[in-house]
């Protein structure tokens, strides 16, 4: 699915809500009427709305604020099923989605992420917070680690590249990483050291 | 279209028959008895078997008991527009000798994720009944049905003469199901897979066609993502001498396509794979003769990644093309103009809005025979974009293509004046689908609602059958539609209208309305109930995110027991709570027995 629907949930993920302090739902609600008219209070409208991209800090890559960020930040919310374009037509201009499996040591099932959605490592790692809802990101020097706050266990993100080698995430430029990454494994730190 | 007559009993004389025959001769009874004596059933059946149109056949079946029986015995082709309007048992009882079935399932808005998964429209109950009733079934065409691999395997192994399978917008199956079809259907002539929610587990299915299979005439796997074995594909194409439709997927390269084309000179419809090569070493000259053998080609599609360097390869085939689908090629205006200069015979053209208004000017000047134009948005969800096409492109096309009948147009701005001009230039519109992508957007020059735009369409285009409206619209739009659109059968409405009057006008005025789909409009119970007497003559009504409540739906259900009034609930609520998604349709099969927990039949 394209960027705006791959993070679909019926309510915004907790991380995104927490980072949005000044967002007011009424400001963005669609109303009928000519421009300038105030909203008729009686009209009960229920829109099927999926909230995406509440990034208020711009697309600065060093921005440490973690919301689920997509490539092009829309200024208002996007509606389900609108415009009425079939899924098969959505990604005509973009290259194929780059979905890779993500395995976490000890977790019973894998997840998949679309690497094309993210423009940098920071945003990418934030996605893990949402996917697994048990990690916090800790940057130690230039290495990236994910920590389970419940038991302090550290996970190191690694990936398998085109040659079949297991590499540490973060060494190469983002685009090169996206190009060469086949799958991802979050290794328990004790394993990684070996 | 199968006419629904709830009290249809083959042995009962129909009261309506008298009215029908009256128009021919006032002495109706004597006329009938004369007919009975002088017209053997076999002759009647033979004559009726020549009638193809479903509508005509439905009319025929209403004439009298004899004609009803003759028609049902000679029916080979059944079209069921709503799989829940009738049960497979009823169909099998009425039509004993069917060879071809077309079944449509989910409401159209399911294409845009408005219908939850597991809603229904499972094809399996139909296949079970058909396996005993129609063991000689040859064709199955499904649209928006839920299909599993098990069902496909069941189909492949229980119907021994099975020939043609077409799956459009279906979901629930994987390429494993296709393996079963390829393996077991010894007489397969058609495999057409389009736009499905399919689990693509790899391209091995294509290799499952046995060496003995030579009957294939139609093969369309353009919408599948994984790579098939080119060797298997080439061998398949070369041994199927009657192949007339071949649409491959993006993984098939240009030089592979060239090899394929050598084997099927009779091809009428071609869908290419990727239309560029990574390695450049005198590429174009290699492919210059690629299309010179395809004398019968009338349809061309695919063309992924086509660039100005490679597009000229298709020029030799362009003169005879009647349908060109460029909706997967991101062409610019000049690239399109150069291409269209060669396409004088085009009747149907599908484009991406990357071609811009200038590209559409080229359409207007090069394609005077054009009857259908669809312009899709390359980036529909990017709200920052100001590219694409505008009202001026549409106007240019209307000037140059007066024979336009079918338009689907996605744009970001429109004016009432432009649409009025377009309608004047092309009065023969039968399908007018305009999508101004920003909901509730007014005429961008006058800032007025777009009411007059659609008013001019319905006033001028008297043959209009299908209409999709958008932009800022008040109840006036609907008054126009109700007053003028007397041939309208399908209406799609989103983010429009001011009050119940809007929907009421349409239900009151549009005599031939069959399908009405509405989302995010301020229509409530009064509007819903104003159509009480109308819904049984329609296929279906969809209303989502409107102001209809559970009580309103209950009232409708109570008054009209032959309608299925279904509400999709997000959560439990009180009696008077909002009915989020309402789907109303006529049925002779009674309430659904397979409804999931979130579908409430009232």
């Amino acid at each position: 699915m394209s960027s705006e629907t791959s993070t679909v949930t019926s309510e915004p993920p907790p991380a995104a809500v927490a980072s949005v302090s000044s967002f007011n739902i009424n400001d963005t609600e669609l109303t009928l009427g000519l421009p300038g008219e105030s909203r008729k209070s009686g009209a009960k409208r229920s829109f099927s709305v999926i909230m995406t991209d509440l990034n208020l800090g711009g697309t600065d890559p060093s921005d440490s604020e973690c919301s689920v960020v997509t490539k092009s930040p829309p200024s208002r919310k996007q509606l389900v099923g609108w415009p009425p374009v079939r899924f098969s037509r959505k990604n005509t201009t973009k290259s194929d989605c780059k979905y890779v499996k993500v395995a976490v040591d000890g977790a019973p099932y894998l997840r998949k992420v679309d690497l094309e959605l993210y423009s940098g490592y920071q945003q990418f790692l934030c996605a893990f917070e949402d996917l697994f809802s048990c990690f916090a990101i800790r940057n130690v020097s230039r290495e990236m680690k994910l920590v389970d706050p419940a038991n302090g266990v550290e996970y190191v993100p690694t990936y398998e590249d085109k040659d079949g080698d297991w590499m540490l995430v973060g060494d190469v430029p983002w685009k090169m990483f996206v190009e060469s990454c086949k799958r991802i494994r979050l290794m328990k730190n004790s394993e990684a050291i070996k | 279209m199968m006419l629904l007559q709830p009290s249809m009993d083959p042995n009962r004389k129909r009261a309506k028959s008298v009215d029908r025959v009256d128009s021919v001769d006032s002495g109706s009874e004597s006329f009938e008895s004369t007919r009975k004596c002088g017209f053997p059933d076999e002759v009647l059946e033979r004559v009726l078997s020549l009638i193809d149109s479903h509508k005509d056949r439905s009319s025929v079946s209403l004439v009298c008991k004899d004609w009803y029986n003759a028609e049902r015995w000679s029916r080979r082709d059944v079209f069921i527009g709503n799989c829940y309007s009738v049960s497979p048992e009823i169909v099998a009882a009425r039509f004993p000798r069917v060879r071809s079935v077309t079944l449509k399932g989910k409401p159209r808005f399911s294409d845009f994720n408005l219908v939850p998964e597991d809603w229904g429209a499972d094809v399996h109950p139909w296949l079970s009944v058909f396996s005993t009733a129609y063991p000689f079934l040859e064709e199955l065409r499904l649209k928006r049905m839920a299909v599993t691999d098990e069902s496909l395997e069941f189909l492949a192994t229980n119907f021994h003469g099975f020939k043609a399978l077409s799956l459009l917008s279906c979901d629930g199956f994987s390429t494993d199901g296709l393996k079963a079809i390829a393996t077991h259907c010894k007489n397969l002539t058609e495999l057409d897979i389009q736009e499905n929610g399919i689990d693509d587990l790899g391209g091995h299915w294509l290799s499952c066609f046995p060496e003995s299979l030579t009957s294939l005439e139609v093969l369309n796997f353009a919408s599948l993502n994984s790579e098939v074995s080119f060797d298997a594909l080439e061998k398949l194409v070369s041994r199927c001498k009657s192949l007339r439709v071949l649409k491959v997927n993006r993984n098939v390269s240009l030089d592979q396509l060239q090899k394929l084309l050598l084997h099927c000179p009779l091809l009428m419809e071609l869908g290419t794979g990727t239309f560029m090569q990574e390695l450049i070493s005198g590429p174009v000259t290699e492919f210059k003769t690629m299309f010179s053998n395809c004398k019968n080609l009338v349809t061309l599609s695919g063309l992924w990644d086509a660039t100005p360097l490679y597009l000229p390869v298709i020029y030799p085939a362009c003169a005879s093309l009647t349908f060109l689908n460029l909706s997967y090629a991101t062409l610019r205006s000049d690239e399109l103009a150069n291409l269209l200069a060669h396409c004088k015979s085009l009747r149907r053209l599908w484009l991406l809005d990357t071609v811009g208004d200038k590209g559409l000017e080229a359409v207007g000047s090069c394609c005077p025979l054009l009857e259908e134009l669809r312009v899709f948005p390359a980036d529909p969800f990017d709200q920052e974009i100001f590219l694409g096409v505008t009202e001026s492109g549409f106007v240019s096309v209307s000037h140059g293509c007066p024979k336009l009948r079918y338009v689907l147009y996605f744009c970001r701005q429109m004016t009432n004046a432009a649409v009025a001009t377009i309608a004047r230039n092309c009065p023969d519109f039968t399908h007018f689908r305009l999508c101004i992508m920003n909901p509730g957007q007014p005429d961008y020059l006058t800032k007025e609602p777009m009411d007059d735009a659609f008013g001019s369409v319905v006033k001028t285009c008297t043959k209009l059958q299908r209409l999709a409206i958008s932009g800022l619209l008040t109840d006036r739009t609907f008054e126009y539609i109700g007053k003028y659109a007397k041939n309208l059968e399908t209406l799609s409405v989103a983010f429009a209208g001011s009050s119940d009057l809007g929907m009421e006008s349409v239900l009151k005025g549009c005599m031939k309305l069959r399908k009405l789909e509405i989302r995010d409009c301020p229509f409530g119970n009064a509007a819903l109930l104003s159509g009480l007497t109308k819904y049984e003559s329609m296929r279906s009504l969809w209303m989502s995110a409107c102001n209809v409540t559970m009580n309103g739906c209950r009232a409708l259900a109570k008054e009209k027991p032959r309608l299925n009034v279904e509400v999709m609930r997000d959560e439990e609520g009180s009696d008077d709570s909002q009915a989020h998604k309402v789907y109303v349709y006529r049925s002779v099969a009674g309430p659904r027995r397979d409804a999931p927990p979130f579908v409430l039949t009232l």
Side-chain angles (χ1 to χ4, degrees):
Chain A
M1 294 288 253
S2 62
S3 56
E4 37 295 307
T5 50
S6 62
T7 53
V8 160
T9 49
S10 55
E11 330 160 33
V17 168
S19 68
V20 175
S21 45
S22 57
F23 175 76
N24 181 356
I25 194 164
N26 288 324
D27 288 344
T28 55
E29 194 160 0
L30 290 175
T31 63
L32 273 188
L34 299 175
E37 262 184 28
S38 59
R39 194 174 95 84
K40 296 192 170 77
S41 53
K44 277 192 285 184
R45 302 286 298 269
S46 52
F47 292 99
S48 323
V49 169
I50 302 292
M51 311 280 269
T52 64
D53 188 15
L54 305 173
N55 179 14
L56 301 180
T59 49
D60 185 350
S62 65
D63 185 5
S64 57
E65 197 160 329
C66 261
S67 50
V68 181
V69 178
T70 57
K71 266 193 173 148
S72 56
S75 49
R76 43 205 153 91
K77 51 196 186 188
Q78 292 181 330
L79 302 152
V80 172
W82 190 266
V85 176
R86 283 196 193 174
F87 166 60
S88 56
R89 297 205 162 275
K90 280 183 194 175
N91 288 311
T92 344
T93 48
K94 302 175 182 4
S95 53
D96 293 334
C97 300
K98 180 88 197 261
Y99 273 101
V100 295
K101 291 184 189 172
V102 180
V104 179
D105 285 352
Y109 53 85
L110 280 62
R111 301 298 301 265
K112 267 199 166 168
V113 285
D114 179 2
L115 294 180
E116 292 288 345
L117 287 186
Y118 310 102
S119 36
Y121 283 112
Q122 194 66 36
Q123 292 142 17
F124 171 62
L125 289 177
C126 285
F128 287 117
E129 284 195 346
D130 297 311
L131 271 187
F132 298 99
S133 61
C134 59
F135 291 129
I137 299 176
R138 185 184 295 172
N139 282 5
V140 177
S141 61
R142 273 181 63 254
E143 276 180 75
M144 282 170 247
K145 286 201 182 77
L146 293 149
V147 182
D148 185 346
N151 50 24
V153 176
E154 280 185 358
Y155 293 83
V156 176
T158 63
Y159 70 102
E160 183 181 321
D161 73 359
K162 278 185 175 165
D163 301 325
D165 298 318
W166 283 93
M167 319 282 293
L168 194 67
V169 168
D171 286 332
V172 299
W174 173 253
K175 286 261 179 253
M176 199 182 290
F177 165 69
V178 171
E179 181 53 40
S180 55
C181 172
K182 274 173 50 187
R183 74 173 105 154
I184 292 165
R185 179 179 160 199
L186 300 186
M187 278 183 171
K188 279 208 180 120
N189 208 354
S190 49
E191 293 254 309
I193 289 172
K194 271 191 242 173
Chain B
M1 170 174 69
M2 201 174 83
L3 200 74
L4 283 181
Q5 294 298 328
S7 51
M8 194 76 88
D9 170 3
N11 299 315
R12 225 184 65 174
K13 196 148 196 136
R14 300 212 39 77
K16 271 209 167 113
S17 61
V18 178
D19 295 337
R20 282 277 170 181
V21 178
D22 247 350
S23 58
V24 178
D25 182 347
S26 55
S28 49
E29 282 201 351
S30 55
F31 181 80
E32 266 197 81
S33 45
T34 314
R35 299 275 281 182
K36 264 197 229 176
C37 294
F39 221 50
D41 287 340
E42 300 79 30
V43 177
L44 187 56
E45 264 182 58
R46 181 76 185 94
V47 170
L48 295 182
S49 68
L50 300 172
I51 298 177
D52 287 330
S53 146
H54 293 110
K55 282 186 181 157
D56 287 345
R57 278 186 163 270
S58 293
S59 306
V60 158
S61 69
L62 289 176
V63 169
C64 66
K65 186 188 81 173
D66 282 346
W67 282 46
Y68 174 81
N69 276 324
E71 193 280 313
R72 62 184 270 264
W73 280 96
S74 65
R75 179 90 66 118
R76 293 286 170 270
D77 228 299
V78 173
F79 173 89
I80 298 158
N82 174 5
C83 65
Y84 287 117
S85 64
V86 68
S87 74
E89 291 84 3
I90 294 174
V91 174
R94 179 173 170 187
F95 301 112
R97 289 210 217 136
V98 161
R99 295 283 157 133
S100 161
V101 175
T102 302
L103 253 183
K104 293 188 180 180
K106 302 182 194 179
R108 196 180 75 95
F109 278 170
S110 70
D111 285 350
F112 317 122
N113 299 325
L114 286 179
V115 175
E117 269 180 49
D118 306 325
W119 178 83
D122 186 2
V123 75
H124 208 89
W126 293 85
L127 293 178
S128 300
V129 170
F130 290 166
S131 63
T132 39
Y134 307 137
F136 303 111
L137 188 70
E138 291 176 359
E139 295 179 12
L140 188 63
R141 296 173 199 290
L142 304 179
K143 186 169 183 179
R144 295 192 196 100
M145 298 289 295
V147 180
T148 61
D149 287 341
E150 290 71 40
S151 294
L152 289 175
E153 174 130 22
F154 185 86
L155 174 66
T157 50
N158 284 281
F159 298 87
H160 296 286
F162 192 73
K163 289 187 179 168
L165 178 64
S166 166
L167 299 173
L168 175 57
S169 293
C170 298
D171 63 359
F173 64 103
S174 77
T175 44
D176 283 351
L178 299 182
K179 271 190 198 170
I181 300 288
T183 308
H184 299 292
C185 298
K186 309 277 179 236
N187 300 308
L188 201 67
T189 59
E190 178 175 337
L191 183 60
D192 187 352
I193 313 289
Q194 287 187 54
E195 315 259 7
N196 299 291
I198 180 176
D199 221 344
D200 198 330
L201 302 172
H204 321 288
W205 60 272
L206 191 112
S207 310
C208 293
F209 282 111
E211 295 281 328
S212 51
L213 188 103
T214 57
S215 45
L216 216 51
E217 297 170 24
V218 174
L219 179 61
N220 177 0
F221 62 96
S223 60
L224 296 181
N225 287 326
S226 54
E227 214 169 307
V228 300
S229 148
F230 179 69
D231 189 56
L233 178 60
E234 189 176 15
K235 292 200 171 103
L236 179 66
V237 167
S238 64
R239 66 177 183 267
C240 293
K241 307 287 182 205
S242 309
L243 198 65
R244 49 183 176 80
V245 176
L246 177 63
K247 297 184 182 176
V248 300
N249 69 9
R250 200 175 184 172
N251 296 108
V252 173
S253 69
L254 256 187
D255 50 65
Q256 287 175 336
L257 183 69
Q258 185 171 45
K259 293 189 185 130
L260 291 177
L261 288 180
L262 292 174
H263 297 295
C264 42
L266 296 179
L267 212 59
M268 293 177 65
E269 298 183 28
L270 174 67
T272 75
T274 183
F275 218 72
M276 69 135 166
Q277 293 274 92
E278 287 293 345
L279 309 164
I280 302 176
S281 50
V284 181
T285 45
E286 269 177 45
F287 300 121
K288 233 163 54 165
T289 54
M290 189 153 87
F291 285 94
S292 50
N293 270 344
C294 302
K295 305 279 182 238
N296 294 343
L297 212 59
V298 287
T299 295
L300 189 58
S301 60
L303 298 166
W304 282 282
D305 319 307
T307 62
L309 194 58
Y310 290 97
L311 216 45
V313 167
I314 72 173
Y315 289 178
C318 285
S320 52
L321 285 184
T322 57
F323 178 23
L324 182 54
N325 180 354
L326 296 170
S327 62
Y328 291 103
T330 53
L331 300 184
R332 289 187 330 261
S333 57
D334 46 340
E335 293 159 12
L336 180 68
N338 292 335
L339 170 56
L340 288 182
H342 297 84
C343 303
K344 300 289 178 200
S345 315
L346 272 188
R347 301 272 194 285
R348 302 171 63 198
L349 178 61
W350 293 19
L351 298 170
L352 269 188
D353 65 359
T354 52
V355 303
D357 288 334
K358 280 210 81 193
L360 294 179
E361 278 171 38
V363 175
S365 34
C366 296
C367 308
L369 302 176
L370 202 67
E371 295 172 10
E372 175 178 331
L373 175 69
R374 301 193 196 202
V375 181
F376 295 96
D379 261 312
F381 302 105
D382 194 332
Q383 286 152 16
E384 303 301 312
I385 267 190
F386 297 102
L387 302 173
V389 293
T390 72
E391 78 282 5
S392 108
F394 199 167
V395 170
S396 311
V397 176
S398 73
H399 276 304
C401 310
K403 295 190 177 182
L404 267 186
R405 294 181 308 103
Y406 192 122
V407 153
L408 170 61
Y409 199 81
F410 284 86
C411 58
R412 290 185 169 88
Q413 66 187 48
M414 190 49 63
T415 67
N416 288 308
V419 179
T421 305
I422 290 159
R424 232 181 3 254
N425 291 339
C426 305
D428 293 336
F429 273 127
T430 55
H431 297 67
F432 191 88
R433 303 166 64 188
L434 177 61
C435 182
I436 303 166
M437 288 192 270
N438 187 12
Q441 184 172 299
D443 177 321
Y444 81 98
L445 286 180
T446 66
K447 308 301 180 198
E448 307 224 309
M450 296 295 298
D451 297 334
D452 286 337
F454 295 103
S456 50
V457 170
V458 295
K459 279 181 210 164
T460 320
C461 308
T462 53
K463 300 181 209 160
L464 199 67
Q465 292 168 24
R466 181 171 181 186
L467 181 63
I469 60 182
S470 59
L472 179 65
L473 300 171
T474 72
D475 286 344
R476 259 199 325 135
T477 301
F478 300 97
E479 281 164 35
Y480 288 140
I481 294 174
K483 188 169 174 196
Y484 295 102
K486 294 305 178 188
N487 284 316
L488 194 66
E489 297 179 17
T490 306
L491 179 63
S492 304
V493 185
F495 306 104
S498 339
S499 75
D500 285 338
L501 277 177
M503 186 171 163
E504 285 169 15
S505 311
V506 168
L507 289 171
K508 208 166 60 172
C510 296
M511 309 275 77
K512 295 197 184 171
L513 196 64
R514 292 191 300 116
K515 288 177 278 186
L516 180 56
E517 46 185 29
I518 301 172
R519 62 165 291 181
D520 295 276
C521 296
F523 304 140
N525 293 337
L528 176 70
L529 294 169
S530 73
L532 216 58
T533 50
K534 188 146 182 79
Y535 299 132
E536 275 184 15
S537 66
M538 288 171 55
R539 182 186 295 177
S540 64
L541 165 73
W542 167 282
M543 287 179 80
S544 60
C546 296
N547 291 342
V548 175
T549 70
M550 292 298 292
N551 278 348
C553 295
R554 287 206 174 89
L556 177 62
K558 187 157 173 240
E559 285 300 308
K560 290 284 163 183
R562 290 198 300 213
L563 293 179
N564 280 355
V565 179
E566 294 176 5
V567 176
M568 275 175 257
R569 302 293 306 282
D570 288 342
E571 73 286 318
E572 288 303 309
S574 67
D575 274 352
D576 200 31
S577 55
Q578 295 289 87
H580 301 278
K581 290 176 183 168
V582 181
Y583 186 48
V584 178
Y585 56 92
R586 64 184 180 183
S587 178
V588 295
R592 284 176 60 176
R593 275 160 294 178
D594 64 347
F598 58 84
V599 173
L600 209 64
T601 305
L602 300 175

